[in-house]
Amino acid sequence: MSESVSVAEGLGATMEPSPFGVQSKKLTMWLFIASDAITFGAILFGYSYLRVGSPDWPRPFQFSSSIVNAMVMTAILLTSSLTMLCAVSAAKIGQKSSSLKWLGATVLLGILFAVMHLREWFHMFHEGWSLSRNPLGGPVAFGATFFSITGLHLLHVISGVIALIVVGLGFQVGKLDDNYVETTGLYWHFVDLVWMFVFPLLYLMNAAR
Amino acid sequence: MSETAANHDPKTGFYVGVWIGLLCIVAMEVFLTYRALSRHALLAALLLLAVTESAIGVLYFMHLKFERRVMMWSILLSIIFVLLMMNQIWPDAYRMTTIGMR
Protein backbone atom coordinates (compact mmCIF):
# COMPACT_ATOMS: atom_id res chain seq x y z
CA MET A 1 0.00 0.00 0.00
CA SER A 2 1.38 3.38 -0.94
CA GLU A 3 1.97 6.13 1.62
CA SER A 4 -0.67 8.44 0.10
CA VAL A 5 -3.39 5.78 0.39
CA SER A 6 -2.60 5.10 4.04
CA VAL A 7 -2.70 8.86 4.78
CA ALA A 8 -6.11 9.10 3.10
CA GLU A 9 -7.40 6.16 5.15
CA GLY A 10 -6.11 7.82 8.30
CA LEU A 11 -7.99 11.04 7.46
CA GLY A 12 -11.09 9.01 6.70
CA ALA A 13 -10.99 7.50 10.17
CA THR A 14 -10.48 10.96 11.73
CA MET A 15 -13.47 12.42 9.88
CA GLU A 16 -15.80 9.55 10.75
CA PRO A 17 -19.14 11.09 11.83
CA SER A 18 -20.05 11.20 15.52
CA PRO A 19 -22.34 8.32 16.57
CA PHE A 20 -24.43 10.91 18.44
CA GLY A 21 -24.60 13.27 15.46
CA VAL A 22 -23.38 16.29 17.45
CA GLN A 23 -20.16 18.26 17.72
CA SER A 24 -17.76 17.29 20.49
CA LYS A 25 -18.29 20.60 22.36
CA LYS A 26 -22.02 20.04 22.45
CA LEU A 27 -21.62 16.44 23.66
CA THR A 28 -19.20 17.67 26.33
CA MET A 29 -21.75 20.23 27.51
CA TRP A 30 -24.41 17.51 27.68
CA LEU A 31 -22.08 15.33 29.78
CA PHE A 32 -21.42 18.30 32.09
CA ILE A 33 -25.15 18.95 32.36
CA ALA A 34 -25.77 15.27 33.23
CA SER A 35 -23.18 15.37 36.00
CA ASP A 36 -24.45 18.74 37.30
CA ALA A 37 -28.04 17.47 37.28
CA ILE A 38 -26.93 14.58 39.47
CA THR A 39 -25.11 17.01 41.80
CA PHE A 40 -28.23 19.14 42.22
CA GLY A 41 -30.28 15.95 42.56
CA ALA A 42 -28.04 14.79 45.41
CA ILE A 43 -28.26 18.05 47.37
CA LEU A 44 -32.02 18.24 46.85
CA PHE A 45 -32.33 14.65 48.10
CA GLY A 46 -30.15 15.62 51.09
CA TYR A 47 -32.41 18.59 51.84
CA SER A 48 -35.52 16.39 51.49
CA TYR A 49 -33.98 13.78 53.81
CA LEU A 50 -33.46 16.40 56.55
CA ARG A 51 -36.90 17.91 55.98
CA VAL A 52 -38.72 14.57 56.20
CA GLY A 53 -36.72 13.64 59.30
CA SER A 54 -37.51 16.93 61.11
CA PRO A 55 -41.16 17.19 62.20
CA ASP A 56 -40.73 20.82 63.34
CA TRP A 57 -39.24 22.06 60.05
CA PRO A 58 -39.91 25.85 59.73
CA ARG A 59 -42.18 27.37 57.07
CA PRO A 60 -40.99 30.96 56.93
CA PHE A 61 -42.08 32.13 53.47
CA GLN A 62 -45.01 34.56 53.43
CA PHE A 63 -47.07 34.81 50.22
CA SER A 64 -46.96 38.59 49.87
CA SER A 65 -43.20 38.86 50.06
CA SER A 66 -41.16 35.70 49.50
CA ILE A 67 -43.49 33.58 47.34
CA VAL A 68 -44.46 36.44 45.02
CA ASN A 69 -40.78 37.42 44.75
CA ALA A 70 -39.80 33.83 43.90
CA MET A 71 -42.65 33.63 41.34
CA VAL A 72 -41.35 36.76 39.61
CA MET A 73 -37.81 35.31 39.69
CA THR A 74 -39.14 32.09 38.11
CA ALA A 75 -40.90 34.06 35.36
CA ILE A 76 -37.70 36.04 34.71
CA LEU A 77 -35.65 32.87 34.37
CA LEU A 78 -38.23 31.25 32.05
CA THR A 79 -38.29 34.42 29.93
CA SER A 80 -34.49 34.40 29.75
CA SER A 81 -34.67 30.87 28.32
CA LEU A 82 -36.99 32.18 25.59
CA THR A 83 -34.65 35.07 24.76
CA MET A 84 -31.76 32.58 24.69
CA LEU A 85 -33.67 30.44 22.18
CA CYS A 86 -34.19 33.53 20.01
CA ALA A 87 -30.44 34.28 20.24
CA VAL A 88 -29.56 30.74 19.12
CA SER A 89 -32.13 30.77 16.29
CA ALA A 90 -30.86 34.14 15.02
CA ALA A 91 -27.22 32.99 15.24
CA LYS A 92 -28.05 29.85 13.28
CA ILE A 93 -29.49 31.77 10.33
CA GLY A 94 -26.62 34.27 10.33
CA GLN A 95 -28.44 37.27 11.88
CA LYS A 96 -25.55 38.26 14.08
CA SER A 97 -26.87 41.64 15.31
CA SER A 98 -30.25 40.15 16.21
CA SER A 99 -28.56 37.28 18.02
CA LEU A 100 -26.41 39.71 20.00
CA LYS A 101 -29.49 41.72 21.02
CA TRP A 102 -31.21 38.58 22.31
CA LEU A 103 -28.03 37.53 24.10
CA GLY A 104 -27.92 40.97 25.73
CA ALA A 105 -31.55 40.57 26.84
CA THR A 106 -30.68 37.16 28.34
CA VAL A 107 -27.73 38.65 30.22
CA LEU A 108 -29.92 41.48 31.59
CA LEU A 109 -32.58 39.01 32.75
CA GLY A 110 -29.89 36.86 34.38
CA ILE A 111 -28.51 39.90 36.23
CA LEU A 112 -32.04 40.89 37.30
CA PHE A 113 -32.62 37.37 38.67
CA ALA A 114 -29.34 37.50 40.61
CA VAL A 115 -30.12 40.96 42.05
CA MET A 116 -33.61 39.85 43.18
CA HIS A 117 -32.13 36.73 44.73
CA LEU A 118 -29.46 38.64 46.63
CA ARG A 119 -32.06 41.18 47.81
CA GLU A 120 -34.12 38.31 49.21
CA TRP A 121 -31.05 36.84 50.90
CA PHE A 122 -30.24 40.15 52.61
CA HIS A 123 -33.85 40.47 53.72
CA MET A 124 -33.54 37.01 55.34
CA PHE A 125 -30.20 37.90 56.94
CA HIS A 126 -31.91 40.99 58.39
CA GLU A 127 -34.63 38.74 59.87
CA GLY A 128 -31.96 36.67 61.61
CA TRP A 129 -31.53 33.74 59.20
CA SER A 130 -28.05 32.41 58.48
CA LEU A 131 -26.32 29.12 57.69
CA SER A 132 -26.46 28.20 61.38
CA ARG A 133 -29.30 30.31 62.81
CA ASN A 134 -33.06 29.86 62.73
CA PRO A 135 -35.00 32.80 64.28
CA LEU A 136 -38.26 30.80 64.28
CA GLY A 137 -36.87 27.97 66.40
CA GLY A 138 -36.57 24.36 65.27
CA PRO A 139 -33.83 22.83 63.16
CA VAL A 140 -31.01 25.15 62.10
CA ALA A 141 -30.51 22.93 59.05
CA PHE A 142 -33.14 25.02 57.22
CA GLY A 143 -30.73 27.94 56.77
CA ALA A 144 -27.85 25.63 55.87
CA THR A 145 -29.82 23.81 53.17
CA PHE A 146 -31.65 26.88 51.84
CA PHE A 147 -28.58 29.08 51.45
CA SER A 148 -26.42 26.20 50.15
CA ILE A 149 -28.84 25.11 47.45
CA THR A 150 -29.93 28.58 46.35
CA GLY A 151 -26.28 29.72 46.62
CA LEU A 152 -25.09 26.95 44.33
CA HIS A 153 -27.84 27.83 41.87
CA LEU A 154 -26.98 31.53 42.08
CA LEU A 155 -23.35 30.66 41.38
CA HIS A 156 -24.52 28.85 38.23
CA VAL A 157 -26.57 31.89 37.17
CA ILE A 158 -23.61 34.26 37.67
CA SER A 159 -21.30 31.85 35.82
CA GLY A 160 -23.85 31.65 33.02
CA VAL A 161 -24.06 35.45 32.74
CA ILE A 162 -20.25 35.66 32.51
CA ALA A 163 -20.18 32.85 29.92
CA LEU A 164 -22.89 34.58 27.85
CA ILE A 165 -20.95 37.87 27.90
CA VAL A 166 -17.69 36.14 26.86
CA VAL A 167 -19.37 34.12 24.09
CA GLY A 168 -21.34 37.17 22.94
CA LEU A 169 -18.17 39.25 22.62
CA GLY A 170 -16.38 36.40 20.82
CA PHE A 171 -19.35 35.96 18.47
CA GLN A 172 -19.44 39.70 17.78
CA VAL A 173 -15.81 39.87 16.64
CA GLY A 174 -16.07 36.59 14.74
CA LYS A 175 -13.77 34.53 16.96
CA LEU A 176 -16.60 32.19 17.98
CA ASP A 177 -19.31 30.74 15.73
CA ASP A 178 -23.00 29.99 16.27
CA ASN A 179 -22.21 26.56 17.75
CA TYR A 180 -20.70 28.29 20.79
CA VAL A 181 -23.88 30.33 21.22
CA GLU A 182 -25.94 27.13 21.07
CA THR A 183 -23.70 25.26 23.53
CA THR A 184 -23.82 28.16 26.03
CA GLY A 185 -27.57 28.23 25.53
CA LEU A 186 -27.79 24.59 26.62
CA TYR A 187 -26.10 25.53 29.89
CA TRP A 188 -28.44 28.48 30.38
CA HIS A 189 -31.55 26.31 29.86
CA PHE A 190 -30.17 23.82 32.36
CA VAL A 191 -29.82 26.58 35.01
CA ASP A 192 -33.47 27.41 34.31
CA LEU A 193 -34.52 23.74 34.70
CA VAL A 194 -32.77 23.35 38.05
CA TRP A 195 -34.81 26.29 39.36
CA MET A 196 -37.97 24.40 38.34
CA PHE A 197 -37.17 22.01 41.22
CA VAL A 198 -35.69 24.54 43.65
CA PHE A 199 -38.78 26.77 43.51
CA PRO A 200 -41.40 24.15 44.55
CA LEU A 201 -39.18 22.20 46.96
CA LEU A 202 -37.53 25.10 48.82
CA TYR A 203 -40.13 27.84 48.53
CA LEU A 204 -43.59 26.37 48.02
CA MET A 205 -43.12 23.42 50.41
CA ASN A 206 -41.94 25.93 53.05
CA ALA A 207 -44.68 28.50 52.49
CA ALA A 208 -46.39 29.78 55.64
CA ARG A 209 -50.10 28.90 55.62
CA MET B 1 -26.68 23.09 15.77
CA SER B 2 -26.29 19.47 14.71
CA GLU B 3 -27.83 18.35 11.43
CA THR B 4 -30.39 16.25 13.26
CA ALA B 5 -31.64 19.09 15.43
CA ALA B 6 -31.34 21.75 12.73
CA ASN B 7 -33.67 19.84 10.39
CA HIS B 8 -36.50 19.90 12.94
CA ASP B 9 -36.09 23.32 14.54
CA PRO B 10 -39.59 24.64 15.36
CA LYS B 11 -40.63 28.25 14.77
CA THR B 12 -40.48 31.02 17.40
CA GLY B 13 -44.27 30.89 17.87
CA PHE B 14 -43.98 27.31 19.05
CA TYR B 15 -41.39 28.30 21.67
CA VAL B 16 -43.59 31.16 22.86
CA GLY B 17 -46.38 28.59 23.33
CA VAL B 18 -44.05 26.35 25.36
CA TRP B 19 -42.99 29.38 27.44
CA ILE B 20 -46.63 30.29 28.18
CA GLY B 21 -47.30 26.65 29.10
CA LEU B 22 -44.38 26.65 31.55
CA LEU B 23 -45.61 29.91 33.14
CA CYS B 24 -49.06 28.31 33.54
CA ILE B 25 -47.49 25.31 35.31
CA VAL B 26 -45.70 27.68 37.73
CA ALA B 27 -49.02 29.43 38.44
CA MET B 28 -50.65 26.03 39.02
CA GLU B 29 -47.92 25.09 41.50
CA VAL B 30 -48.56 28.25 43.53
CA PHE B 31 -52.33 27.71 43.34
CA LEU B 32 -51.99 24.12 44.66
CA THR B 33 -49.70 25.29 47.48
CA TYR B 34 -52.56 27.29 49.00
CA ARG B 35 -55.21 24.56 48.57
CA ALA B 36 -56.06 22.34 51.54
CA LEU B 37 -53.85 19.45 50.42
CA SER B 38 -51.97 17.14 52.76
CA ARG B 39 -48.18 17.55 52.85
CA HIS B 40 -47.63 14.32 50.91
CA ALA B 41 -50.27 15.12 48.29
CA LEU B 42 -48.82 18.60 47.78
CA LEU B 43 -45.29 17.22 47.46
CA ALA B 44 -46.43 14.60 44.92
CA ALA B 45 -48.32 17.24 42.89
CA LEU B 46 -45.40 19.71 42.93
CA LEU B 47 -42.88 17.04 41.96
CA LEU B 48 -45.09 15.84 39.12
CA LEU B 49 -45.43 19.39 37.80
CA ALA B 50 -41.67 20.05 38.21
CA VAL B 51 -40.81 16.86 36.29
CA THR B 52 -43.29 17.86 33.57
CA GLU B 53 -41.70 21.32 33.33
CA SER B 54 -38.18 19.93 33.15
CA ALA B 55 -39.17 17.31 30.57
CA ILE B 56 -40.68 20.02 28.35
CA GLY B 57 -37.56 22.17 28.85
CA VAL B 58 -35.11 19.37 28.07
CA LEU B 59 -37.01 18.09 25.04
CA TYR B 60 -37.94 21.41 23.40
CA PHE B 61 -35.82 24.28 24.81
CA MET B 62 -32.68 22.12 24.85
CA HIS B 63 -33.68 20.40 21.59
CA LEU B 64 -33.04 16.89 22.91
CA LYS B 65 -36.21 15.69 21.19
CA PHE B 66 -34.67 16.62 17.84
CA GLU B 67 -31.32 14.92 18.46
CA ARG B 68 -30.62 11.29 17.59
CA ARG B 69 -32.47 8.79 19.76
CA VAL B 70 -29.20 7.24 20.96
CA MET B 71 -28.09 10.67 22.21
CA MET B 72 -31.41 11.40 23.94
CA TRP B 73 -31.62 8.06 25.75
CA SER B 74 -27.91 7.96 26.68
CA ILE B 75 -28.27 11.26 28.52
CA LEU B 76 -31.73 10.83 30.02
CA LEU B 77 -31.45 7.21 31.19
CA SER B 78 -28.15 7.77 33.00
CA ILE B 79 -29.58 10.75 34.95
CA ILE B 80 -32.88 8.98 35.71
CA PHE B 81 -31.04 5.84 36.89
CA VAL B 82 -28.81 7.73 39.34
CA LEU B 83 -31.71 9.80 40.70
CA LEU B 84 -33.83 6.68 41.20
CA MET B 85 -30.99 5.00 43.10
CA MET B 86 -30.92 7.96 45.51
CA ASN B 87 -34.43 7.04 46.68
CA GLN B 88 -32.94 4.47 49.02
CA ILE B 89 -32.62 7.20 51.69
CA TRP B 90 -36.35 7.44 52.47
CA PRO B 91 -36.69 4.53 54.95
CA ASP B 92 -33.95 6.11 57.06
CA ALA B 93 -35.52 9.58 56.83
CA TYR B 94 -38.88 8.23 58.07
CA ARG B 95 -37.06 6.30 60.82
CA MET B 96 -35.69 9.62 62.09
CA THR B 97 -39.20 11.01 62.58
CA THR B 98 -39.93 8.28 65.11
CA ILE B 99 -36.63 7.81 66.94
CA GLY B 100 -34.91 11.17 66.33
CA MET B 101 -31.68 12.02 64.54
CA ARG B 102 -28.69 9.91 65.72
PDB file of all heavy atoms in Angstrom, chain A residues 52 111 129:
ATOM      1  N   VAL A  52     -37.825  15.664  55.802  1.00  0.00           N
ATOM      2  CA  VAL A  52     -38.718  14.570  56.198  1.00  0.00           C
ATOM      3  C   VAL A  52     -38.401  14.120  57.628  1.00  0.00           C
ATOM      4  O   VAL A  52     -39.306  13.825  58.413  1.00  0.00           O
ATOM      5  CB  VAL A  52     -38.577  13.384  55.207  1.00  0.00           C
ATOM      6  CG1 VAL A  52     -39.254  12.128  55.755  1.00  0.00           C
ATOM      7  CG2 VAL A  52     -39.173  13.754  53.866  1.00  0.00           C
ATOM      8  N   ILE A 111     -28.968  38.967  35.187  1.00  0.00           N
ATOM      9  CA  ILE A 111     -28.509  39.897  36.233  1.00  0.00           C
ATOM     10  C   ILE A 111     -29.686  40.290  37.134  1.00  0.00           C
ATOM     11  O   ILE A 111     -29.554  40.340  38.362  1.00  0.00           O
ATOM     12  CB  ILE A 111     -27.859  41.144  35.577  1.00  0.00           C
ATOM     13  CG1 ILE A 111     -26.533  40.741  34.907  1.00  0.00           C
ATOM     14  CG2 ILE A 111     -27.629  42.241  36.605  1.00  0.00           C
ATOM     15  CD1 ILE A 111     -25.909  41.831  34.056  1.00  0.00           C
ATOM     16  N   TRP A 129     -31.906  35.030  59.788  1.00  0.00           N
ATOM     17  CA  TRP A 129     -31.532  33.739  59.202  1.00  0.00           C
ATOM     18  C   TRP A 129     -30.057  33.733  58.839  1.00  0.00           C
ATOM     19  O   TRP A 129     -29.511  34.745  58.424  1.00  0.00           O
ATOM     20  CB  TRP A 129     -32.336  33.468  57.924  1.00  0.00           C
ATOM     21  CG  TRP A 129     -33.785  33.249  58.163  1.00  0.00           C
ATOM     22  CD1 TRP A 129     -34.769  34.192  58.044  1.00  0.00           C
ATOM     23  CD2 TRP A 129     -34.418  32.046  58.572  1.00  0.00           C
ATOM     24  NE1 TRP A 129     -35.975  33.638  58.353  1.00  0.00           N
ATOM     25  CE2 TRP A 129     -35.793  32.326  58.680  1.00  0.00           C
ATOM     26  CE3 TRP A 129     -33.964  30.764  58.853  1.00  0.00           C
ATOM     27  CZ2 TRP A 129     -36.713  31.369  59.062  1.00  0.00           C
ATOM     28  CZ3 TRP A 129     -34.875  29.806  59.235  1.00  0.00           C
ATOM     29  CH2 TRP A 129     -36.235  30.102  59.337  1.00  0.00           C
TER      30      TRP A 129
END
